[in-house]
Amino acid sequence: MYASRRDACPFVLRLVTGDDGYTVTASNTASGWTLSSSSRLRNATLPVQLHLHQVQASHIVASANAKQANLSASRIQRVELPVYDDTSKGRQAYHISHFLSHPSGIQAILNTSALQNFQYLDTNAYRCTLPKLAFFNFEATPVLDLRVIPTKEDCTVELFSCKFKGSKVVERQNDYFSASMINHITWDTDISEPFLEVNVKLNLSLEIYTRPFTSLPISAVERPGNLMMQALVDGLVPSLLQQLVQDYNNWVHQQLQNS
């Protein structure tokens, strides 16, 4: 996320996901905040990429006096879930819970095909390195540590660390923000219309430590920030659901071919 001055007071905030992903822009005009978005989603991921900018030392205020903006967004959505029956044994075959606990399902949840690197950390914990971002004179690599806990009833994905790797200026930003995300995936296959449901909650805390934003009320950052984050989640969740169902279908057919 970055802010660019348009004149004495108004400014623009922009939130971007991926090189071919989803862009949300909030502009502060004389009539208030306006929100616009564009989407080229394909293999989009939930993790957020933040655009950073270098500031002069004279614009930095002491951390003890800095304000903190708390942003949040959430979305619950469900989609029709195919059920695969094993007619010879009279039961469901290759249940969605089997897929989400299988390595292929874990990779589908984390969308590893869109990552620069994917690393197993510990039981149910994974490190996801997103493609490098290049902007202005900086390069930054977002690194997300995620915990995936699949059970027979549900699957929970939790973000427990979000850092940027790059130059000292880039890595310095790690001291001024924190992020958390929980994606709770549930399903029901024992009803007439089986479904897969995703419940995503995303939170971001930003320390406001540069002028002129330190002189503005926190609401001047939180209001457009919340609008952008909600638009981001609203665009990404449907894509995630669609991709999960497609990957599940491909996995089932692969299992049938190998059996």
Side-chain angles (χ1 to χ4, degrees), residues 49-105:
Q49 299 177 7
L50 301 177
H51 281 212
L52 312 175
H53 69 290
Q54 188 174 20
V55 296
Q56 297 179 0
S58 60
H59 289 174
I60 299 177
V61 299
S63 179
N65 299 323
K67 301 177 182 179
Q68 183 165 297
N70 297 308
L71 313 179
S72 63
S74 62
R75 184 181 177 97
I76 301 176
Q77 185 169 334
R78 63 177 55 178
V79 67
E80 181 181 356
L81 181 66
V83 175
Y84 301 93
D85 295 323
D86 188 342
T87 55
S88 64
K89 298 181 180 180
R91 61 178 176 81
Q92 291 183 9
Y94 309 113
H95 193 273
I96 183 66
S97 61
H98 300 159
F99 170 64
L100 294 179
S101 61
H102 188 275
S104 297

Side-chain angles (χ1 to χ4, degrees), residues 17 20-22 39-45 111 113-114 235-236 239-240 242-243 246:
T17 62
D20 59 349
Y22 193 78
S39 175
R40 290 177 292 162
L41 288 172
R42 186 172 179 178
N43 292 323
T45 57
N111 197 13
S113 62
L236 291 174
S239 176
L240 171 65
Q242 181 181 4
Q243 192 66 50
Q246 180 179 334

Side-chain angles (χ1 to χ4, degrees), residues 45 47 106-107 109-112 114-121 125-131 141-148 157 159 161-163:
T45 57
I106 300 296
Q107 293 179 23
I109 293 172
L110 301 179
N111 197 13
T112 57
L115 300 177
Q116 177 180 308
N117 189 40
F118 173 64
Q119 179 183 357
Y120 173 80
L121 294 179
Y126 307 88
R127 176 159 295 166
C128 301
T129 304
L130 276 64
T141 301
V143 180
L144 311 174
D145 291 344
L146 298 161
R147 183 174 290 109
V148 182
V157 183
L159 172 69
S161 176
C162 177
K163 301 292 182 182

Side-chain angles (χ1 to χ4, degrees), residues 111-254:
N111 197 13
T112 57
S113 62
L115 300 177
Q116 177 180 308
N117 189 40
F118 173 64
Q119 179 183 357
Y120 173 80
L121 294 179
D122 201 346
T123 304
N124 298 325
Y126 307 88
R127 176 159 295 166
C128 301
T129 304
L130 276 64
K132 183 180 296 184
L133 304 174
F135 46 89
F136 299 104
N137 295 322
F138 303 101
E139 289 186 343
T141 301
V143 180
L144 311 174
D145 291 344
L146 298 161
R147 183 174 290 109
V148 182
I149 306 175
T151 72
K152 293 182 179 180
E153 291 78 28
D154 62 6
C155 181
T156 302
V157 183
E158 179 181 3
L159 172 69
F160 61 90
S161 176
C162 177
K163 301 292 182 182
F164 288 93
K165 287 188 175 181
S167 66
K168 291 183 179 180
V169 172
V170 168
E171 294 188 358
R172 186 174 183 272
Q173 305 298 317
N174 294 324
D175 298 328
Y176 297 99
F177 86 96
S178 63
S180 66
M181 184 275 296
I182 294 180
N183 178 10
H184 188 211
I185 304 171
T186 55
W187 54 81
D188 193 336
T189 60
D190 296 324
I191 57 178
S192 58
E193 297 182 355
F195 67 84
L196 178 69
E197 182 177 279
V198 166
N199 183 352
V200 174
K201 296 180 180 179
L202 178 63
N203 295 284
L204 184 66
S205 294
L206 299 172
E207 186 173 326
I208 305 171
Y209 66 98
T210 59
R211 299 186 179 92
F213 307 109
T214 52
S215 61
L216 297 175
I218 294 179
S219 60
V221 175
E222 290 184 336
R223 184 179 178 186
N226 285 326
L227 287 173
M228 288 191 299
M229 285 184 58
Q230 188 60 56
L232 174 74
V233 171
D234 288 343
L236 291 174
V237 167
S239 176
L240 171 65
L241 273 170
Q242 181 181 4
Q243 192 66 50
L244 272 177
V245 172
Q246 180 179 334
D247 290 343
Y248 174 45
N249 180 71
N250 294 339
W251 178 77
V252 170
H253 283 84
Q254 184 177 13

